[in-house]
């Protein structure tokens, strides 16, 4: 969990501020996952902080939803072209790719448990 928080902080994803009047914060929660090796042994434990975006209403909290996802057929076509043309292939793992986007709207999220001291009324 600390690695996830460090990534969010290093990208300056948020800052802790008082909630402005007229705004309502989105909740947050931790999602845990276990990654396994091919032989079934545990490779690592992953923790991801997610916003509870399902509580938002279109038109009120946001105007559009978009997630860029590559279709598998396109990836296969690109691999075929690379093989035929003898292009070198490289594998790259982009962690926290969503942190590199820019939001047009102001979004306020309740911080994860333990991030603020008890009694503080701050949002991310």
């Amino acid at each position: 969990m600390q690695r996830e928080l460090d990534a969010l902080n290093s990208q300056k994803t948020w800052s802790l501020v008082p909630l402005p009047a007229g705004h309502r914060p989105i909740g947050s929660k931790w999602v845990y996952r276990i990654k396994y090796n091919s032989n079934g042994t545990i490779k690592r434990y992953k923790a991801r902080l997610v916003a509870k975006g399902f509580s938002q209403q279109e038109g009120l909290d946001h105007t559009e939803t978009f997630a860029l996802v590559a279709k598998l057929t396109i990836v296969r076509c690109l691999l075929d072209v690379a093989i035929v043309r003898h292009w070198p292939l490289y594998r790259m793992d982009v962690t926290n790719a969503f942190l590199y986007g820019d939001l047009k709207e102001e979004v306020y999220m309740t911080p994860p448990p333990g991030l603020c001291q008890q009694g503080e009324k701050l949002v991310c």
Side-chain angles (χ1 to χ4, degrees), residues 72-113:
L72 188 56
T73 55
I74 300 298
V75 173
R76 286 182 178 160
C77 288
L78 288 173
L79 288 173
D80 287 343
V81 170
I83 290 169
V84 168
R85 295 185 180 224
H86 303 288
W87 291 346
L89 294 174
Y90 301 97
R91 185 181 73 91
M92 184 174 85
D93 187 15
V94 179
T95 57
N96 301 318
F98 67 93
L99 296 178
Y100 297 100
D102 293 323
L103 290 177
K104 296 174 187 153
E105 301 89 2
E106 286 189 9
V107 178
Y108 297 96
M109 180 182 81
T110 56

Side-chain angles (χ1 to χ4, degrees), residues 7-120:
L8 293 169
N9 287 327
S10 70
Q11 292 296 321
K12 297 180 178 30
T13 304
W14 68 40
S15 55
L16 293 173
V17 296
L19 182 64
H23 289 84
R24 48 179 199 147
I26 299 172
S28 65
K29 71 176 186 173
W30 286 103
V31 176
Y32 302 101
R33 185 171 174 205
I34 300 173
K35 298 278 285 191
Y36 294 95
N37 290 315
S38 57
N39 63 2
T41 59
I42 295 175
K43 182 177 183 179
R44 67 179 176 192
Y45 296 95
K46 290 184 75 172
R48 194 171 50 163
L49 181 65
V50 298
K52 296 179 180 179
F54 56 82
S55 64
Q56 293 183 311
Q57 297 174 356
E58 187 174 0
L60 179 63
D61 298 311
H62 62 84
T63 55
E64 63 183 41
T65 304
F66 178 74
L68 181 61
V69 179
K71 292 185 178 180
L72 188 56
T73 55
I74 300 298
V75 173
R76 286 182 178 160
C77 288
L78 288 173
L79 288 173
D80 287 343
V81 170
I83 290 169
V84 168
R85 295 185 180 224
H86 303 288
W87 291 346
L89 294 174
Y90 301 97
R91 185 181 73 91
M92 184 174 85
D93 187 15
V94 179
T95 57
N96 301 318
F98 67 93
L99 296 178
Y100 297 100
D102 293 323
L103 290 177
K104 296 174 187 153
E105 301 89 2
E106 286 189 9
V107 178
Y108 297 96
M109 180 182 81
T110 56
L115 188 63
C116 289
Q117 293 180 6
Q118 193 170 9
E120 284 184 315

